[in-house]
Amino acid sequence: GKFAAPVGPAMTDGELWSNFSAEPTALEIDQHDHASIIKLKADEKIPANARQIVGGHPILVRHGEKAKLTGRFSTTRNPRTAVGVNKDGTKLILLVVDGRQRKLSIGMTLPELADEMIRLGCYNALNLDGGGSSTLVLHDPATGKLHVVNSPSDTKERSVADVLGVKVKAPLPKLPE
């Protein structure tokens, strides 16, 4: 019910539906399901073979090294959502960090998030969003229901302008507790 607009580029199935005039950073999935973290110059066009794009800011990890992350936004602990890819772009790493909940989680700074993405095997990584919109939802194929599996700081799901959806072709491995 609330109006929202992406702060970066957004593409679904090859259709660009939001663009950003500055120098956007984004997760791009191409026509061969290869994942990349991209940073475009202001006059640069979206890659022709792009099929899916979701914008974010800032880049956390570039070529296996932690990016320089400074300023209040970077050094304050908050809920965070990040995405990363391994060196050859064949693995997508998603991380949702809860925060602003004293008994559950205090969140992460962006440098802490970058360190964690490197630890998880990211060669390149991008902060997608944070705060109350950091929500991880899984679809249960057995029941057809959606389940929120983290603890959003707003205590419920928040309306957002765009989402990153992932369809897994093989059964997920059991996640550590």
Side-chain angles (χ1 to χ4, degrees), residues 62-155:
R62 185 54 130 189
H63 305 299
E65 301 291 326
K66 182 165 55 172
K68 184 176 179 182
L69 300 160
T70 60
R72 184 167 154 68
F73 177 74
S74 295
T75 58
T76 305
R77 283 198 166 85
N78 282 300
R80 307 280 185 181
T81 301
V83 62
V85 296
N86 66 343
K87 190 171 184 175
D88 63 5
T90 58
K91 289 187 181 178
L92 187 67
I93 295 97
L94 303 171
L95 180 63
V96 175
V97 178
D98 288 335
R100 299 184 190 151
Q101 302 172 48
R102 272 187 247 225
K103 294 182 181 180
L104 296 175
S105 175
I106 59 171
M108 283 185 157
T109 66
L110 288 180
E112 290 169 340
L113 187 61
D115 287 338
E116 184 63 13
M117 295 304 281
I118 290 169
R119 190 188 72 75
L120 292 171
C122 296
Y123 187 69
N124 293 302
L126 176 67
N127 182 67
L128 290 179
D129 204 350
S133 60
S134 285
T135 305
L136 181 62
V137 178
L138 292 178
H139 173 260
D140 182 345
T143 65
K145 294 184 179 184
L146 298 173
H147 300 280
V148 176
V149 296
N150 71 317
S151 182
S153 65
D154 287 357
T155 68

Side-chain angles (χ1 to χ4, degrees), residues 24-41:
T25 52
L27 167 69
E28 174 214 352
I29 309 293
D30 70 17
Q31 61 194 12
H32 304 292
D33 293 331
H34 180 268
S36 301
I37 302 298
I38 61 172
K39 180 173 180 159
L40 302 174
K41 293 184 171 55

